[in-house]
Amino acid sequence: MFVCLEVWNAIWYVLARLSRSPFSFKYSLKIALFMQVPDGPFWFLPMIFCLYIGIPLVSVLLNYLLRSGKRNYLYILIGCLLLAGTIIPTVENVHMLFTGRDGIVSVLQMNIFGSSCWCDSVWMLYLIIGFVLKRFSGFIRKRLSSLVCLLSFIVCLVLLLAFRLLARQRHLQDPYFYSNILVVGCATFFFVLMYRFCKFEGKYARKFITLFTPISRFSFGMYMIHTWILAICVRWLTGPSASLGKGYLLFFIVFILSYAGSVLSTWILSTVPGLRKWLLLMK
């Protein structure tokens, strides 16, 4: 992952220079030395690098707490992560939505194995949620039906979309962010539904997995490439000579071209020996 981060950093620097984007050598060098949070979709790579180093240690700690019967400490940890990772940031989002001002911030930064990127504490919370869902999957399956998970996902998604639309009307930039409790709820319930479907639904699940596994293997490369393809599409299709105008048709065309271009570009790169592992993180 370290090699992947450094290589993509160099690639983004070259692409930025070719497209005349404000991406200086000093800025790129600071990213390479872990002294700068990258902008755009590139920002999460240093954080994932730190999280993967910390995941085994977190797993050992959580298993020790459960084996030794010290669950109270685990409950305190989860409570603090919920407070710092979702509740306080969500209150801040609501405050910004109705007042247009910030000023509410959590002083607890509990992302032990992360980096100084967006929404510090919520990433640690996701690690705990994943551990709990895996360790107590049988208990959760009995107490939390798939129908309840589906309805909970739909409610969180509808509220999140309403939140976003209201924010756009008030000209606020991404007020929900990753730490909003609705985002965490959508992600958690959707994960549970997909896990159950793929594990328990037999031949239909196998067809689903067969269909989407290739795309999932390309997903990292697609994510790193799509920004540049999107920029090209926007420049060509919304420029002075473009006749598509604005609206849903333009959005749909840009989406399809960006998606298809990302898949094609990643597939071409995956055919080059060595790039699958070191650049695309493909297993």
Side-chain angles (χ1 to χ4, degrees):
M1 294 195 72
F2 173 76
V3 173
C4 179
L5 185 152
E6 299 298 340
V7 172
W8 276 111
N9 185 33
I11 292 173
W12 275 54
Y13 173 75
V14 173
L15 292 175
R17 302 302 294 180
L18 292 176
S19 62
R20 299 179 181 178
S21 298
F23 203 80
S24 67
F25 177 77
K26 180 180 179 181
Y27 178 80
S28 183
L29 180 62
K30 291 173 69 177
I31 292 175
L33 298 175
F34 297 97
M35 298 171 60
Q36 174 72 50
V37 177
D39 289 332
F42 190 29
W43 69 268
F44 76 101
L45 264 179
M47 187 196 67
I48 291 182
F49 179 78
C50 296
L51 285 174
Y52 267 75
I53 293 175
I55 284 174
L57 301 179
V58 174
S59 179
V60 170
L61 171 64
L62 296 177
N63 280 291
Y64 166 76
L65 292 175
L66 292 175
R67 285 197 311 267
S68 61
K70 299 179 180 179
R71 297 195 176 192
N72 289 340
Y73 183 85
L74 178 59
Y75 299 149
I76 293 173
L77 176 60
I78 294 175
C80 290
L81 286 171
L82 284 170
L83 178 66
T86 61
I87 296 175
I88 294 179
T90 304
V91 171
E92 179 191 12
N93 296 159
V94 175
H95 180 260
M96 287 181 60
L97 190 62
F98 289 101
T99 67
R101 303 188 303 272
D102 55 10
I104 299 176
V105 62
S106 173
V107 297
L108 296 176
Q109 298 299 335
M110 302 191 62
N111 193 12
I112 302 172
F113 299 105
S115 61
S116 297
C117 296
W118 302 330
C119 311
D120 297 83
S121 301
V122 74
W123 308 115
M124 191 73 178
L125 178 62
Y126 276 122
L127 294 184
I128 306 294
I129 291 174
F131 176 84
V132 171
L133 292 177
K134 180 68 175 177
R135 182 68 179 269
F136 302 102
S137 59
F139 176 82
I140 294 174
R141 188 163 180 255
K142 292 179 181 178
R143 295 299 182 94
L144 201 63
S145 67
S146 296
L147 179 59
V148 172
C149 291
L150 177 61
L151 293 176
S152 299
F153 168 73
I154 293 174
V155 169
C156 289
L157 182 60
V158 170
L159 291 176
L160 182 61
L161 291 175
F163 198 97
R164 178 57 177 159
L165 289 174
L166 184 58
R168 286 177 60 89
Q169 292 176 358
R170 303 195 176 190
H171 306 290
L172 296 177
Q173 294 294 325
D174 294 335
Y176 58 88
F177 234 38
Y178 295 105
S179 56
N180 189 294
I181 197 168
L182 297 173
V183 176
V184 177
C186 284
T188 302
F189 289 118
F190 184 75
F191 176 83
V192 172
L193 289 169
M194 289 296 97
Y195 176 78
R196 291 180 179 179
F197 176 77
C198 293
K199 188 172 183 179
F200 301 112
E201 293 301 321
K203 63 178 182 179
Y204 298 105
R206 287 193 292 271
K207 291 180 180 180
F208 178 84
I209 294 171
T210 301
L211 178 64
F212 284 96
T213 294
I215 297 299
S216 69
R217 289 176 177 166
F218 289 162
S219 60
F220 176 78
M222 291 168 59
Y223 187 80
M224 297 304 297
I225 293 172
H226 85 279
T227 297
W228 301 97
I229 297 178
L230 175 63
I232 294 173
C233 291
V234 170
R235 182 177 299 177
W236 286 354
L237 297 177
T238 63
S241 60
S243 59
L244 291 175
K246 297 181 180 180
Y248 288 108
L249 175 62
L250 176 61
F251 172 83
F252 182 76
I253 293 175
V254 170
F255 171 80
I256 294 297
L257 291 177
S258 300
Y259 186 84
S262 300
V263 173
L264 179 61
S265 301
T266 306
W267 176 77
I268 293 174
L269 290 175
S270 70
T271 62
V272 180
L275 295 188
R276 291 174 62 91
K277 176 180 180 181
W278 297 103
L279 186 68
L280 304 177
L281 297 180
M282 293 175 61
K283 294 184 179 180

